[in-house]
Amino acid sequence: MNPGLSTAGRLLARFRARFRVGASTLLALALVAAFSHPAAAQAVLPALTIKTGANGAQSYSLTVQVLILMTVLTLLPALLLATTAFTRIIVVLAILRQALGMATTPSNQVLTGLALFLTFFVMSSTLDRAYVNGIKPYLDGQLAGEVAFDRSVRPLKHFMLAQTRENDLRLFTKLAGRGPYASPDDVPLTVLIPTFMTSELKTAFQIGFMVYIPFLVIDLVVASVLMSMGMMMLSPMLVSLPFKIMLFVLVDGWTLLIGSLAASFHP
């Protein structure tokens, strides 16, 4: 056996042992310090409450905060779809894949990941304002819950109103039976969210139409050439696919499309 390798192995094992001991010690000290401090002890909310009856029987109950947190986590995907730029981006990417003629490439996971991180990029300034104006003061104990919620939602409402068409807003306001609003802050979320989603779908289909046209022209040209050559048994989609991919790559299509999508939210 190589003595150098054995020595290195012993040193590595000794380092791992010391690292585990040090990490466990730091974790224990942090827990003791957190629970020994009065303010920290008051801030900790038990997730599970155990009550012991007179006969020794125990009953378990969840706190209201945990139930609210679980409900918010359940509604988080719906909120992501309904109040951010995700809807427009994912619809345009899906139309692009259909225009290229590739049903499974890129995969749904790739398109969803790209749309998700592009959404975070577009919404970064809005989320920063919501955190600075509402969430951070609430965590610091400077604002009450209702005021913090109103200040956190206000930048998101301004973002949605900037992407909303007046006709759609007028329609849902009429359907809700409410009069004209004095300011954008007066528009309730129950009216604004469906209005925003309707406008986003319309905008996404308009962008998708412009994306689809060049690939449709290639399909028509290839189909006409094959028909004139008498190759009616050969699928035009099979022949046009390499040309569409080549065109998309030559014009740097991904950069153009993603840049145009990001710029469409900040005209």
Side-chain angles (χ1 to χ4, degrees):
M1 180 181 297
N2 192 343
L5 294 178
S6 60
T7 304
R10 288 195 299 270
L11 291 175
L12 182 60
R14 187 180 304 172
F15 173 76
R16 289 177 178 175
R18 290 185 179 179
F19 177 77
R20 285 195 294 267
V21 173
S24 60
T25 304
L26 290 176
L27 180 60
L29 290 175
L31 291 176
V32 171
F35 286 101
S36 61
H37 197 277
Q42 294 177 0
V44 174
L45 295 175
L48 183 65
T49 303
I50 303 176
K51 297 181 180 180
T52 304
N55 56 353
Q58 293 182 344
S59 60
Y60 304 89
S61 62
L62 293 174
T63 59
V64 178
Q65 290 85 355
V66 175
L67 294 177
I68 295 176
L69 178 61
M70 294 172 62
T71 304
V72 171
L73 291 178
T74 304
L75 298 176
L76 187 59
L79 293 176
L80 176 65
L81 291 173
T83 60
T84 64
F86 185 83
T87 301
R88 181 189 303 185
I89 296 171
I90 193 64
V91 170
V92 172
L93 292 178
I95 293 176
L96 170 66
R97 185 174 64 177
Q98 186 70 25
L100 287 172
M102 297 183 292
T104 58
T105 304
S107 62
N108 292 330
Q109 292 82 357
V110 174
L111 291 184
T112 304
L114 178 60
L116 184 62
F117 284 100
L118 188 57
T119 300
F120 289 151
F121 174 77
V122 172
M123 301 290 298
S124 59
S125 59
T126 302
L127 297 178
D128 289 341
R129 290 197 303 270
Y131 176 78
V132 172
N133 296 338
I135 299 176
K136 189 177 185 301
Y138 173 74
L139 296 177
D140 295 339
Q142 301 175 359
L143 292 178
E146 295 181 357
V147 179
F149 176 78
D150 181 68
R151 292 190 179 182
S152 301
V153 172
R154 191 175 301 169
L156 190 62
K157 293 174 68 174
H158 289 172
F159 170 81
M160 290 190 289
L161 284 171
Q163 314 301 325
T164 299
R165 292 175 172 81
E166 295 183 0
N167 294 333
D168 297 334
L169 181 59
R170 194 178 303 112
L171 171 63
F172 281 95
T173 301
K174 181 180 179 181
L175 293 176
R178 303 188 180 186
Y181 304 103
S183 65
D185 296 334
D186 297 334
V187 181
L189 291 176
T190 54
V191 175
L192 182 57
I193 291 178
T195 305
F196 172 74
M197 292 195 68
T198 304
S199 298
E200 284 294 282
L201 287 174
K202 184 176 181 179
T203 304
F205 275 84
Q206 289 177 347
I207 299 175
F209 173 78
M210 300 302 296
V211 171
Y212 213 109
I213 291 299
F215 301 106
L216 180 61
V217 172
I218 294 177
D219 287 333
L220 292 175
V221 171
V222 171
S224 300
V225 172
L226 292 178
M227 185 70 68
S228 62
M229 296 176 62
M231 297 181 179
M232 293 178 293
M233 301 300 295
L234 185 61
S235 174
M237 296 294 295
L238 183 63
V239 179
S240 63
L241 180 59
F243 294 98
K244 290 190 288 187
I245 295 176
M246 181 182 64
L247 173 65
F248 192 69
V249 171
L250 289 177
V251 299
D252 200 5
W254 286 112
T255 303
L256 290 175
L257 181 63
I258 293 175
S260 300
L261 279 175
S264 66
F265 293 96
H266 303 285

